[in-house]
Amino acid sequence: GARAEIRQHDHAEDERVEGAWDLAPTRYLWHESRHFTAPDVLAARVRAVTPAGGTIFGDSSSAPLVALLAGRKLTHDEADTNSMRYRSGITPPGKAIATLEESPPAAIVVSQVRGFFIVPEMRAWVTTHYHIDWTYRDPYYGTYDLYVPNAR
């Protein structure tokens, strides 16, 4: 069988070698250590374009962290915006939209490839009432758009 040589690593000096076999915990740490840069830059932009008491809504993989870093609250404390929640009918999109319309968020953080934005009804509501203020491309996690309300 294959033998693994257990090595002690200084993580800062770790490097991946093509074709080398590494232990699962090492691979996991490499994967998790990729730096998610979007929250920091999105939070700075959210602070710049929203009032101090404004709320944000958005993708569950980023909006809660962006809200925390920006010093803003999530609209209706809504952290779970996974697309399956809406697609399964647990929360019908129409009900979620009605709740958002009661007190619209000051900004919406969107991942183009995951989360609530891939649900057609949710995407239609956002793009009807909001426009893209800013786009950021995270090197590992893809493109994020920051939507702000259309002029009224």
Side-chain angles (χ1 to χ4, degrees):
R3 288 182 48 191
E5 178 179 336
I6 298 175
R7 305 172 281 170
Q8 288 189 337
H9 295 288
D10 175 356
H11 189 69
E13 295 178 9
D14 256 354
E15 64 181 54
R16 296 177 81 165
V17 177
E18 187 175 346
W21 186 86
D22 293 292
L23 296 173
T26 301
R27 290 194 314 268
Y28 173 78
L29 289 172
W30 276 329
H31 180 268
E32 294 303 310
S33 67
R34 297 182 303 177
H35 187 64
F36 187 23
T37 59
D40 292 321
V41 294
L42 286 167
R45 186 65 187 164
V46 164
R47 279 191 303 275
V49 300
T50 63
T55 64
I56 68 167
F57 180 78
D59 181 64
S60 59
S61 70
S62 56
L65 183 54
V66 171
L68 182 67
L69 293 171
R72 303 298 186 264
K73 291 186 176 186
L74 291 173
T75 306
H76 300 286
D77 295 322
E78 195 62 61
D80 179 12
T81 59
N82 184 299
S83 64
M84 290 309 296
R85 176 178 173 189
Y86 306 110
R87 289 177 167 185
S88 69
I90 291 172
T91 302
K95 181 178 179 184
I97 290 167
T99 301
L100 289 170
E101 288 176 341
E102 289 174 11
S103 55
I108 300 177
V109 177
V110 167
S111 163
Q112 292 291 332
V113 296
R114 63 179 133 334
F116 80 97
F117 203 66
I118 64 173
V119 177
E121 300 92 334
M122 299 295 281
R123 177 186 292 263
W125 183 81
V126 171
T127 58
T128 298
H129 300 285
Y130 291 76
H131 65 275
I132 295 174
D133 170 74
W134 197 66
T135 298
Y136 178 75
R137 170 99 174 108
D138 186 279
Y140 291 109
Y141 296 93
T143 301
Y144 289 85
D145 293 321
L146 182 66
Y147 282 77
V148 296
N150 293 333
R152 295 190 176 149

